[in-house]
Amino acid sequence: MAQRTLARYLIEEQRNKGVITGDLKFLIEVVSRACQAISIAIGKGGLGGVLGEAGSDNVQGEAQKKLDVLSNEILLDANEWGGHLAAMASEEMDLPFTIPHRYPQGEYLLLFDPLDGSSNIDVDVSIGTIFSVLKCPDGADLSTPEASEAAFLQPGAAQVAAGYAVYGPTTVLVLTVGDGVAVFTLDREQGSFVLTQENVQIPADTAEFAINMANMRHWEAPVQRYVAEMQQGREGPLGKDYNMRWVGSMVADVHRIVTRGGIFMYPMDAKVRNKGGKLRLMYEANPMAFLVEQAGGAASTGNRRILDIEPERLHQRVAVILGSKNEVARVVAYHA
Ligand code: AHG
Ligand code: MN
Ligand code: MN
């Protein structure tokens, strides 16, 4: 049988299942091509002059790397002209990008973290792109970037698609259109993403956790308790030995969990409390929560389901606890 490319998977979701519209199919194909372009740029590394600092700060006051800026531009350029979008928002841009008047406007909103794991760029560790798609509300004011912000403020449960690309030893694209989770691997010779796994299921139990242990003293009591119990291993209340992994790129940590289970936590802590958390709701938490739930896992702040949060601001941050269902349930129970 012919290889099932991303294009073919999307046609099937549209034609046979009626899960997506033609415009959403086109949108996802355009995003996947942008991810291929980012993958090629990353692959050049020091030869392509893409490493190092850009010399600017983003809206969150973080120093931008050249690849943060380049990836953002690749995604904007790829998506502005196709007629499928009403506006775009990015972790790296203060305000939304409205579609230039010379192009037709579509009905979708695209949000992205163009380059996730920036601290890993220069050390040749896996990095990625995360994206989320919403429907633009009817009658939304898109007359200015400022006015268009309101259209984006929808809970994660309203997402119509979400995905991420990991630029690692291989480049993979992991996607949900609300019909389970599928994994595509980039065939570099063909220049296309090929389906390599369908109906991904995250095991409900795990013995592997991911958290930045350097922040331990800042965590709240429930997370302190949970991590202490995991560290006690077989002799402790959880009755099994745990292993720890922390890549420092959310995409890579989440991809490991999507592949073999686990729990990922960037919980509320005293250091990030005044910002609301470390990770960004619209560009990181919501798309990953949608994917993880579609794969049978769970995603919570500790106090509530991430996908139920009504966003107040585009660049809002949030505590994130996601992955294997039973482990997430345990941490949530400790918060109750
Ligand atoms: P970004 O590179 O888009 O700013 O995101 C980095 C995030 C996330 O990918 C990762 O899980 C986390 O920050 C790492 O934080 P620490 O540096 O505290 O480990
Ligand atoms: Mn990120
Ligand atoms: Mn980023």
Side-chain angles (χ1 to χ4, degrees):
M1 184 182 147
Q3 277 188 331
R4 281 177 76 201
T5 58
L6 175 65
R8 183 166 177 167
Y9 175 87
L10 292 172
I11 283 281
E12 286 166 7
E13 291 296 307
Q14 181 197 358
R15 199 169 54 196
N16 307 353
K17 295 191 176 177
V19 175
I20 59 172
T21 63
D23 267 8
L24 183 54
K25 174 173 84 68
F26 180 68
L27 185 165
I28 293 166
E29 289 194 281
V30 171
V31 169
S32 81
R33 279 201 290 276
C35 291
Q36 274 190 56
I38 296 170
S39 176
I40 289 167
I42 289 169
K44 294 189 199 298
L47 297 175
V50 298
L51 304 183
E53 306 291 328
S56 49
D57 284 355
N58 67 12
V59 55
Q60 355 242 343
E62 298 159 337
Q64 290 176 306
K65 302 276 185 180
K66 282 185 192 166
L67 269 176
D68 289 320
V69 176
L70 180 66
S71 306
N72 194 61
E73 278 167 8
I74 288 174
L75 280 156
L76 291 179
D77 288 351
N79 280 287
E80 66 172 357
W81 52 268
H84 53 291
L85 287 181
M88 291 183 252
S90 161
E91 181 186 288
E92 301 298 340
M93 300 187 302
D94 202 342
L95 291 168
F97 176 97
T98 47
I99 301 301
H101 292 304
R102 60 185 182 279
Y103 302 122
Q105 263 182 23
E107 56 175 343
Y108 293 103
L109 299 169
L110 175 64
L111 301 93
F112 45 81
D113 175 357
L115 204 293
D116 176 67
S118 300
S119 74
N120 282 323
I121 294 171
D122 294 344
V123 294
D124 205 14
V125 170
S126 293
I127 49 184
T129 297
I130 309 171
F131 66 94
S132 160
V133 186
L134 294 164
K135 277 281 282 287
C136 188
D138 289 338
D141 181 357
L142 303 171
S143 58
T144 63
E146 286 82 359
S148 71
E149 194 168 320
F152 289 90
L153 302 182
Q154 307 178 38
Q159 290 171 101
V160 293
Y164 62 80
V166 188
Y167 313 113
T170 54
T171 288
V172 296
L173 183 81
V174 179
L175 174 73
T176 185
V177 292
D179 181 32
V181 173
V183 180
F184 303 86
T185 302
L186 179 61
D187 180 329
R188 293 179 200 275
E189 281 78 46
Q190 307 278 355
S192 58
F193 281 101
V194 178
L195 184 72
T196 43
Q197 205 190 344
E198 225 177 341
N199 300 322
V200 175
Q201 286 297 316
I202 297 173
D205 293 293
T206 184
E208 201 162 55
F209 70 97
I211 192 165
N212 185 342
M213 293 292 286
N215 297 326
M216 189 171 211
R217 68 191 186 287
H218 303 299
W219 300 335
E220 294 179 338
V223 173
Q224 295 271 4
R225 172 185 169 190
Y226 176 59
V227 174
E229 288 180 359
M230 287 192 291
Q231 288 181 296
Q232 288 165 47
R234 197 186 294 272
E235 292 76 35
L238 306 186
K240 61 180 172 185
D241 291 334
Y242 282 76
N243 194 16
M244 193 199 86
R245 288 285 183 274
W246 182 252
V247 178
S249 300
M250 187 192 199
V251 273
D253 282 309
V254 169
H255 190 59
R256 183 184 59 255
I257 289 168
V258 163
T259 306
R260 68 180 185 209
I263 182 165
F264 169 93
M265 290 172 281
Y266 216 116
M268 186 55 74
D269 74 36
K271 225 170 62 177
V272 295
R273 185 180 318 281
N274 60 348
K275 296 188 203 160
K278 158 94 183 190
L279 297 174
R280 281 133 298 209
L281 175 63
M282 307 300 283
Y283 317 110
E284 296 171 321
N286 273 344
M288 291 310 203
F290 187 23
L291 281 159
V292 164
E293 285 199 5
Q294 282 290 314
S300 170
T301 64
N303 296 306
R304 58 185 311 194
R305 181 179 176 234
I306 285 175
L307 294 181
D308 286 338
I309 297 172
E310 294 279 351
E312 287 162 14
R313 293 180 316 281
L314 200 51
H315 297 292
Q316 185 169 337
R317 298 183 189 240
V318 70
V320 175
I321 297 168
L322 60 75
S324 293
K325 208 174 172 167
N326 294 341
E327 292 294 323
V328 174
R330 181 187 302 281
V331 191
V332 169
Y334 288 2
H335 280 78

